[in-house]
Amino acid sequence: MISQSSTVQNNPSEAIVLQKSNATSSQLPFLSLENVVKQYGSYTVLQNINLTVQQGEFICLIGHSGCGKSTLLNMVSGFQQPTAGSVLLEGRPIQGPGPDRMVVFQNYALLPWRTVFDNVYLAVNAVYPHKPLKEKRAIVRDHLALVGLSDAADKKPPQISGGMKQRVSIARALAIRPQVLILDEPFGALDAITKEELQEELLTIWNEHRCTVLMITHDIDEALFLADRLVMMTNGPAATIGEIMQIPFERPRDRVQIMEDPKYYQLRNYALEFLYDRFAHDDVA
Amino acid sequence: MTTSIKSRSSTAAPNFLIQFWQKQAPNILPPAIGILSFLVIWQLISMSGLSRIPGPLSLWTDDRTRTLLLYPFYDRGGLDKGLFWQTLASLIRVAQGYSLAAFVGISVGVIVGTNPLINKALDPIFQFLRMVAPLAWVPIALVALQQNQPAAIFVIFITSVWPILINTAEGVRQIPDDYNNVAKVLQLSRKEYYLNILFPSALPYIFTGLRIAIGLAWLAIIAAEIVMSGIVGIGFFIWDAYQQNYISEILLAVIYIGAVGLLLDRAIAYLQHLIVPAEQK
């Protein structure tokens, strides 16, 4: 990403580049949601969703629980269809789930009766059934190494920690080279240290592979560290995208460095203010 | 000093036995006392003349029964065979009927579990048929199949298929959404889905069904054979002994039946232990 630091020197209001929608680019957008509405019966979950994502962008979504973040991502992964409007990937409407939009599920969704290796292999074999066995096994090994799990390859998921399970889940997702990687609160259940480790790993891997990432989070610091843009949702029912915050820190990012940047706190306070003042929620502790 | 070492080494074996006894006594003693009291009370009741049932000692004191007890492998042709052969004949029928029930029950269970519409259509029939007692199937089976042997196997099948079918269907319905979502996003082929997700996930349920079914199958064969006269089998053996008033032979056969039923149940439990991954239990 090109740093936008030149535009955000001193003026806090300029520090935050806000857009209702950034569908201004003339080229065909990679992923676009246009006037998306999602209803369950007469209950409107989401409405007026407009979002355009460029290839290779890292997008975080934040919002209070029940605002339809997961529903939004489910329409990209294809598990749900919009009631109105369209979700287009490279100009084509998304019909259903597929390995080009791989999901890292909230509770890992690893098969407990298969080893770590076999869990990843199942995905590789399903997506590349015709590759030679050797090559498929090599892909699995490479990706387990990528997330630092070579030693745990023969363990079964119940024998490993939550952080390791999430690593397997990420390795499984990356091993099939998805165009879009969808993560639904991937680090929510992890302790703070493991969480930071995994964030750094995810960022390193993303720097190398540059797939498009859509990630739900509840953690503003996580979003500021990881994302190019932070999509902030208003409260449900009938939630929509409130604001989109541009996160201008240069990549590769260093956690300590960006936290020393005065912009960091401007952005952080802005997001906090959005979530806790303008769209405060009853269940906020 | 030396003496103490000597005495310790010389009593090593008894020591071990004593330790074993001390450890296991709470597990062995109560059931042993229970069984013994049961046998003693039974013997006393039959000796007192309150009941015509002979006491447990008659297994030994009655000549015919003692022969059966001591020579389970004799075979004088026709129906006159030792209890081992009688039991084996019944077991073979159970094996045939039960295998068929397992095959049909699991296959239909998977179909029913994966198709809510078929489930809705057929569930009332299953729930109704499974309440029909094994004995009630015997005349139907005899009319439908004309011969004793296939009729007996059919009775086993129809008695034991329901718990397998219903549990398999439930197991398939209970597959966590997460696993199904993984299958969807990876677009797993049907074969891959069945092999890697459906069967492993439903396995604990399938085995619950199989274990209930083996007990039912064994109960059913005894009942079926009693009604189908003139075949080698422990069920008809009991009926024959009753007709000829050899009551202590019935007691011996009942002991065989109980022991075999227990073994069958244990065998399936052991199989379950081997096959179902520990983390799913």
Side-chain angles (χ1 to χ4, degrees):
Chain A
M1 281 306 290
I2 299 152
S3 166
Q4 305 188 355
S5 52
S6 57
T7 62
V8 286
Q9 281 295 312
N10 299 310
N11 189 341
S13 67
E14 265 183 342
I16 298 135
V17 181
L18 299 169
Q19 296 159 289
K20 263 293 181 196
S21 159
N22 74 336
T24 48
S25 162
S26 57
Q27 77 201 77
L28 187 69
F30 177 67
L31 172 70
S32 65
L33 293 92
E34 291 165 10
N35 300 316
V36 168
V37 179
K38 181 67 188 176
Q39 292 172 320
Y40 294 119
S42 60
Y43 179 82
T44 305
V45 187
L46 292 168
Q47 65 173 19
N48 193 28
I49 300 287
N50 283 290
L51 178 68
T52 310
V53 179
Q54 299 305 321
Q55 190 153 21
E57 239 186 325
F58 198 128
I59 303 283
C60 276
L61 278 95
I62 204 163
H64 292 292
S65 45
C67 75
K69 304 182 295 283
S70 295
T71 308
L72 185 61
L73 287 201
N74 277 343
M75 288 188 290
V76 177
S77 56
F79 285 112
Q80 293 181 4
Q81 297 291 328
T83 313
S86 56
V87 184
L88 305 170
L89 182 69
E90 293 181 314
R92 287 185 299 275
I94 286 165
Q95 305 283 356
D100 55 332
R101 286 152 287 123
M102 186 58 187
V103 182
V104 174
F105 295 95
Q106 201 167 5
N107 22 14
Y108 324 127
L110 301 174
L111 306 178
W113 47 83
R114 306 200 58 164
T115 61
V116 163
F117 186 93
D118 284 343
N119 263 287
V120 181
Y121 185 84
L122 180 72
V124 173
N125 190 44
V127 177
Y128 308 114
H130 302 302
K131 279 198 179 177
L133 183 78
K134 247 186 174 172
E135 197 177 328
K136 286 186 279 195
R137 294 183 63 87
I139 293 175
V140 177
R141 269 196 300 274
D142 288 350
H143 285 85
L144 285 178
L146 198 66
V147 294
L149 277 184
S150 298
D151 293 337
D154 295 325
K155 292 209 170 105
K156 288 192 176 162
Q159 297 169 290
I160 60 178
S161 68
M164 289 164 91
K165 282 181 202 164
Q166 194 56 279
R167 285 191 171 95
V168 179
S169 191
I170 290 171
R172 174 174 67 184
L174 292 169
I176 60 174
R177 287 277 172 275
Q179 289 183 286
V180 184
L181 182 64
I182 295 168
L183 304 106
D184 189 349
E185 257 187 80
F187 310 134
L190 304 176
D191 65 89
I193 295 168
T194 313
K195 190 172 169 170
E196 290 197 357
E197 275 175 18
L198 273 176
Q199 287 166 357
E200 312 242 351
E201 277 174 31
L202 180 65
L203 211 52
T204 313
I205 293 167
W206 176 79
N207 265 327
E208 285 164 23
H209 297 313
R210 285 290 163 146
C211 56
T212 309
V213 179
L214 298 179
M215 171 169 152
I216 291 177
T217 178
H218 270 138
D219 182 341
I220 294 170
D221 293 304
E222 180 172 275
L224 289 177
F225 179 54
L226 294 174
D228 293 318
R229 285 189 293 155
L230 174 60
V231 174
M232 293 184 281
M233 307 276 296
T234 63
N235 290 334
T240 188
I241 294 175
E243 283 173 14
I244 298 174
M245 177 193 280
Q246 205 84 24
I247 301 169
F249 303 117
E250 227 166 322
R251 295 188 189 270
R253 286 178 184 170
D254 178 90
R255 195 188 297 274
V256 179
Q257 220 166 47
I258 66 165
M259 283 176 89
E260 282 168 355
D261 193 324
K263 273 179 292 176
Y264 186 86
Y265 288 95
Q266 289 167 9
L267 294 169
R268 193 172 187 277
N269 289 337
Y270 192 87
L272 278 171
E273 194 250 344
F274 178 90
L275 285 172
Y276 295 99
D277 294 337
R278 284 158 63 194
F279 291 96
H281 204 258
D282 300 335
D283 67 11
V284 170
Chain B
M1 196 57 192
T2 37
T3 45
S4 75
I5 288 169
K6 245 184 199 168
S7 69
R8 204 183 288 161
S9 63
S10 64
T11 56
N15 259 344
F16 171 75
L17 279 178
I18 289 164
Q19 270 178 9
F20 176 79
W21 176 248
Q22 277 171 346
K23 232 186 210 168
Q24 294 299 319
N27 296 329
I28 296 171
L29 225 46
I33 291 171
I35 293 168
L36 208 65
S37 331
F38 171 72
L39 294 175
V40 167
I41 291 169
W42 176 9
Q43 184 68 31
L44 287 177
I45 287 176
S46 67
M47 274 161 62
S48 71
L50 279 172
S51 164
R52 275 190 61 235
I53 303 275
L57 287 178
S58 70
L59 293 181
W60 188 257
T61 53
D62 184 288
D63 280 343
R64 277 185 63 95
T65 315
R66 189 169 61 224
T67 313
L68 283 167
L69 184 65
L70 292 176
Y71 306 102
F73 299 105
Y74 84 85
D75 185 352
R76 293 198 203 109
L79 298 183
D80 194 5
K81 293 182 199 304
L83 278 176
F84 172 81
W85 302 112
Q86 304 278 3
T87 310
L88 187 67
S90 298
L91 267 178
I92 289 171
R93 284 187 200 106
V94 167
Q96 290 170 327
Y98 181 73
S99 307
L100 189 65
F103 178 73
V104 173
I106 293 172
S107 324
V108 178
V110 168
I111 295 170
V112 169
T114 45
N115 293 287
L117 194 68
I118 296 181
N119 178 46
K120 268 208 177 116
L122 297 183
D123 195 57
I125 303 176
F126 296 153
Q127 297 296 344
F128 176 81
L129 289 179
R130 86 186 171 96
M131 299 314 286
V132 177
L135 271 181
W137 287 107
V138 174
I140 297 173
L142 285 171
V143 170
L145 298 162
Q146 299 296 329
Q147 286 170 310
N148 272 344
Q149 184 72 7
I153 290 165
F154 175 78
V155 171
I156 302 295
F157 163 76
I158 204 77
T159 310
S160 54
V161 74
W162 308 114
I164 302 175
L165 196 162
I166 291 167
N167 275 287
T168 303
E170 184 61 20
V172 171
R173 275 196 294 274
Q174 294 293 334
I175 298 173
D177 280 345
D178 272 346
Y179 302 162
N180 284 330
N181 286 342
V182 169
K184 278 185 204 155
V185 79
L186 293 176
Q187 294 175 340
L188 289 187
S189 67
R190 187 161 275 260
K191 183 188 142 213
E192 290 272 303
Y193 173 69
Y194 276 40
L195 239 53
N196 294 309
I197 291 177
L198 185 139
F199 278 115
S201 184
L203 211 54
Y205 288 85
I206 295 175
F207 263 98
T208 304
L210 287 175
R211 200 162 160 199
I212 297 169
I214 193 71
L216 287 178
W218 187 236
L219 293 181
I221 189 60
I222 309 300
E225 285 176 354
I226 285 175
V227 180
M228 293 166 197
S229 47
I231 47 176
V232 178
I234 192 96
F236 181 67
F237 175 88
I238 288 181
W239 189 245
D240 200 37
Y242 169 70
Q243 299 274 316
Q244 303 184 47
N245 214 19
Y246 300 135
I247 307 300
S248 52
E249 286 184 19
I250 299 178
L251 296 182
L252 182 60
V254 166
I255 292 169
Y256 263 78
I257 291 170
V260 169
L262 195 65
L263 284 176
L264 286 177
D265 184 65
R266 292 286 113 195
I268 299 289
Y270 179 68
L271 216 64
Q272 181 173 20
H273 173 75
L274 282 188
I275 295 175
V276 180
E279 48 280 351
Q280 270 179 274
K281 279 178 203 148

